[in-house]
Structures are given as C-alpha cells and as structure tokens.
Amino acid sequence: MYYYGVMSQLSASPLLRMTPYQPSTLFPIKAEFAALMLRGGLVAGAIALVSGTGSYTVMIEMLSVTSRAGFAIAFVGLHDLGVVALTQSGWDLTQVVLVDDGPEMSQAIAVLLAAFDVVVFDITVIDRHWHRLVARARERKSALVVIDQDCRRSPRQLAPDVTLIVEEFGWAQPTAECPFGAPAFHVAVQEHGFRTDTPTVLAR
Amino acid sequence: MILVNPRRTVVVNFDGLSLLAVEAVHDDRIAVVHRDRILAATRVTEQHGVTVGMRSAEARARFPDLELRERDGYREEQWLSRLQRMFDDVSPHFRRNGHTLTAPLGPITRYFTTETRALAAIDAIGVSLVQTYPQLTVELGVADSLFAASVAAPLGRRVPSGESAQFVGGLSVGTLLPSPMAVLLREVGLERVLDFQNLEPAVVAARFGGVGLHWHRLCRLEVDLSVVDDASAEIAMCTAAAFDGDTIEQLSFRLMRSLEDLLSVAEEGGLVLVKACLTLVTTTGELTKVVEMLDGVGTMGLIARLRWFEEVSRPRRDPLIEVRIEPMQWSSPRRRQLTFDRQELKESAVLATLARLATFYGDDRVLVPTMQGGRSLRERGTWIPWSGRWPLSGVSADDSRAPWPGHLPGATPSLVYRYPQEVQLLDTTDTPVEVVGDGVMTQEPAFLVIGRNRLAVSSFFGPWVVIERWWERRRRRYVRLMVITPQGTKLIVRESRRWWLEGAFA
C-alpha cells in the first residue's frame, strides 16, 4: 500500500456541527420517560397516546427535551395550552406553532406532517381519516401525540404504539424553589404489551 | 385595477414578423399557417386571392402552388429581440409587450429635446428596417397611455397630447370593444366609443360586469393596460369597487385579473411580492391587514388571504364599498440552492407548510407563542398570528423577564383558558366563599363547582390580591387562589364578586 503524504482525519464542517437537527429515527424525550420506553425515546412515525387527568402536564414535560433539541412541534386545536408553562418547562418557543380550532382538523394535521417532527392534538380531533393520518405519519417519519384527558376512547381503537397513562396526579409540597409546590405525577407506559411505571416525577 | 400616471407612450407595431421568421420574401409563394388558418401571406400569394384568416384548404384551392409553412414562434421571439436591440440605439426604455415594442416617450423626448425629433429618430430606424427586410411593415403609434398608443399603432396615428380620449372616442365600438359588448351597444344605438365613454360607470358595471367596467375605464383613460416598464413606483395598487349585492367572491374574482397582471409584470422585472396591505372599505370604516410572505406570494395565495381576512374581520357583514390590495414591498425571488444542510431544508419545508396552512385556514388560525410582560397568565404568554418567519424571532420581550409585582412565580398551569369559565367556590355548608379586605377569606373552601361537576377541595394556596392601576379611575382589583382537587389543581380568580377558572394543571 502506498501513502502519498500524511493521512489525517477529515473534520466535519463547522456548519454541520452547529446544526441542532439530526436525521434521526428517535426523538429525545425527558429522561424519566425515556427510561421506560423500549427504544429510549419517541420513535419517528410512532403514535403516542397520553391519557388521564394531568395528560397535558405530562405531555409538556415529556416533549420539553424534544423541543430543546431543535425539533419542530405543532399543536392542533389546543388553543388553551399555557405558553408560560411551555417556557417554564424549557421549551424552545421559536420552533412551536399552534393551528387553532376549526373545521377540517385532520387535513391540517396531514399538512403539518409534511414538515413538523411532532404533531400534538386532542383525541376529539380524530375522525374517520385517522388511519390515513397514521399512514402519513409513518411515511413522513413524524410522531403523533394524542391527548385523551377524559379517557374517552380505549387505546385499542387508536392502536397507539406507546401509551402513557397518568395514574396519579397530585401536588408536591412547596419548596424553596417552588414556593407554591409543583405538580407531581406517576405514569405507566405500555408499549408492545410491556408495562413499566415511572417513579413519582416532579414537573418543572 | 392598475393605476398608472398618464404619460406619453410610443408603441412600435411589426407586421410580417411571422414571414420574417420563416424566411419568406414577398416574391415567394408562401403563407404562414397556424391552427389551420392563414396567419400571414406574401404579396404574390395575396395577389392570388389568399387572405389572412382563411382556412388552409381554401387557400390551397385558390392558389394550388402555395407552400404552407407552420408558424415558428421561437424564431419570431428571436427576431423580436433582435429588433428590440436595434431600437435600443434610440432609447434603452424599449420593452416588449406581446409582438410590439413600447417605451415611455418622456425620456426619449428629453434626450432629443423635442417630441418630433424623438419620433423622427424612431422613424429612421423603422425605415431602415423596412429597407433591409421588405416583408416587414413597421407602424408607429403615439398617445397618452399604453392602451391608446396600442390602438393608434396599427392605424399609424400619432395622437397629440391631451387628445387621446377624443381619439379613442372617435373609433367605432366594433373595432375596439369585444364583440358581445359591441353587439349589445349597437343594439341600443351606441355606435361610437364616445357614447360608451359617456355612460355612467354604475350602468356599465350593472350591464357588463367587471370586464365591461375595465373596458370602460380603459376607454376613459382612467386606467391603463399592464405596465411593461418595471419601475415599481408606477405600480400603485389593485382595487375593485363593489356594486349592489357584490359578494367578496365576486370582488375577489374581479381583483384576480388585475392582480395577475401586476404580479406578472413584477415577475418580468425579476420581482416577487413579499409584503402587501389588504384593505376592506365598508360603510362603517376601513379594515386593514398587512400580510408578509418571505418567499413571495401568488395571486391565489393573496386572494385566499383576502377572503380569510374578510371572513374574520367583518362578522357584522357591513356592506362593502371597495376592496384594495396594495403592494408594500417587492423583493428579488429567493433562489433555492441545493444544500446539504438539513436544517435549512427543514426550515424551508416548515415555511412552505405554514404558508399553505395560512392560505387554507386563514392567517388568524396559524398561531405562534410569544412572551410578554404582565400579571395574569394570559398576559404573560399568549398565542399571536404567525408573521411569516421561521424560526420565530422575538418570542420573548424584555418585559417578560421583568419582575412584575403581583404575578405568581412558578404557578404555571398547563391550560390557560382563552375564555374563563364562571365557577362556584363553596364551604362545607354550601355557602359561597368570599374574600374581603386585603385577602381574608370569610370561609374555608370545601367544594369547587365547575358546571355540573362538584369537586372536593383538598387544600388551597392563597388568596393573593392584585390591584392594578390603583391610581387610575379604571383600576382593577382581583383575587387569585390555587385550589387542589382530585381532578387536578385549578387556578381561580375572583373578580366582580364572582369566581372564574383562569387555568388548570390538567
């Protein structure tokens, strides 16, 4: 073998190293939830169902790391979502968008799936086009997060890949950091027939 | 409609360009055919009875030795470009407008000192062209607008300044107006364009609609044809006036044509519209909205935005008087370059998606978060309409980081209701809980009633009294309380002697 000079390892372009977006099949989520998932994160193209009282808080906590990692997240119909809560949880608000309530919500979700990494919406949005949305999400490698606060539908009807059930949703005692206390919850994760539980997680 | 300042315009019309493109001279037995019709014929061919507009089979029957050549559009364009370059010797302002050349006469006159000298210079080029290419006929038309000059060019007329309206008015309706309009005008005894000019605009609009009104304004020289010159200062706005019973759909349809003209003219000049002002003039006032699209916007996109704006902003359906689209900012189109940077690709995909959503569902339904100063949760963080940029900038204002007295640090519910719901806070004996003085509760809360749900209160934090603008007459005083129930923690507010649900940890 002949060498023409000293071989050195090529360094990556500084621009590429700086970009937060990584072509990934896994969206990072908060460590407490990631530890319970089989793949250690939210798989691209997966359908996640968050059900039970406190599901909005759980969703905000879970996806805060995803948002911070530079992934674009869209909410559909969740016009009551607290912006301050997103900020407190460490969301990157420059990559968040909300499509307000209205007709043809499924169509709006389908359009969003073309570019957004995660699309979050309430279970009431789901209609007869649900299976098409799922197929589109899988094709586009975007994750769908469905929120079912009142447990209106059984998970079987949606056939989610991962289900997060908020089993306990309480209030932690005030501390010096949180003078009014903070929400505390206990979540069970069901994925491919396996069920794992989190320890009590303190929000924010 | 496109409003331009009336100004002297010269139009150079070329006849015989199609013969030149197929390299036919007048001694040849050649005719140019397009879609089975004779488009142009040489002198010899015409002497044998072949005329323009005749079917090719009929032409062959009249002149069996005739050679038919298909029209060569590409060569025609090449020839026109060549001719335009020759006219550049007189003025660099000559632009192509279909198969004619047009230029504002003002700059040429300033250079040649008088209009006569300027036209003589243009004439000289035309004469030399005809000498070089005998199959070509060059006709010159001069008038006060592009429309009048275009009408004058085939007639070879040079209309003196200020007489263009009379010149157009002297023509017959059949020669100038579309045939359905001309037939109808003749039926009512209007033979000259002058009679048509004298009609009331409302009458014309009622009988002939938007197209008729456009022709009426053209004939009265109130508006002009598409501006060929790319000077953006001349492109003022597109506007459509409403008549009795006109809906926004009809107005949008009427605007579409002029808007297309406007955008295509800009496109020829290498410009795209990135910022526009939409205005709805109603009987009760004007409603204005500025829309911004970084990648430029097309006619359909702008019309869709206009219709969404009308739907959202005019709930009372006041009668419309006028609709305007005013370009505010033009930009050169952003060239898409292939890139290996995935982040850049992602951002452009997100931008395209949001623009599509805004077109489909309206600007006001695509919202982005923003942080600002304030005491209540809705004031501190809110959703505002998307401004056309991605990633978003200026999400946090400086005020949001300022220590606002009265806000509750750390108490940030996941849901903050846009429309707070009235609730009842009761004690163990179902007596409403009240807060008096500086935050003293009359009873300890035991139940929170939200609609038909009666939730037991396990514990609570507060109350905190907030007094805003205590020095002013329009001061505001309210009390906040955080209540913990089995169905989650709720943040409630007491104002005007009633309890409201402000937010919830749900």
Side-chain angles (χ1 to χ4, degrees), chain A residues 15-16 19-23 52-58 60 70 72-73 75 78-88 93-108 111-117 136 149 169-172 174 179-181 183 204, chain B residues 340-344 346-347 349-351 353-354 356-357 360-361 364-371 376-378 380-383 386 390-396 407-419 461 464 482 484-490 504-506:
Chain A
L15 183 69
L16 281 173
T19 51
Y21 179 79
Q22 296 293 320
T53 304
S55 45
Y56 283 95
T57 308
V58 169
I60 290 173
I73 300 180
F75 299 107
L78 306 179
H79 54 77
D80 285 334
L81 203 66
V83 176
V84 185
L86 295 179
T87 314
Q88 292 277 325
L93 294 188
T94 60
Q95 305 257 8
V96 177
V97 72
L98 164 72
V99 178
D100 207 352
D101 238 342
E104 298 165 357
M105 303 299 278
S106 293
Q107 202 179 339
V111 173
L112 284 168
L113 283 175
F116 281 80
D117 301 300
R136 193 173 169 86
Q149 196 191 354
F169 188 66
W171 198 256
F180 306 107
R204 293 180 284 282
Chain B
F340 292 113
D341 183 9
R342 284 184 168 269
Q343 182 68 20
E344 213 172 291
K346 187 85 192 164
E347 282 170 13
V350 170
L351 265 175
T353 302
L354 293 181
R356 201 171 161 208
L357 279 170
F360 281 170
Y361 304 111
D364 298 329
R365 268 186 69 193
V366 181
L367 306 169
V368 292
T370 184
M371 288 290 290
S376 75
L377 292 164
R378 188 50 83 178
R380 285 176 64 198
T382 188
W383 296 97
W386 177 56
W390 189 270
L392 312 170
S393 52
V395 169
S396 295
H407 86 272
L408 305 180
T412 52
S414 49
L415 294 182
V416 178
Y417 298 106
R418 185 186 287 182
Y419 307 108
F461 296 95
W464 300 281
M482 203 162 359
I484 298 171
T485 70
Q487 272 73 36
T489 306
K490 317 283 184 194
F505 291 86

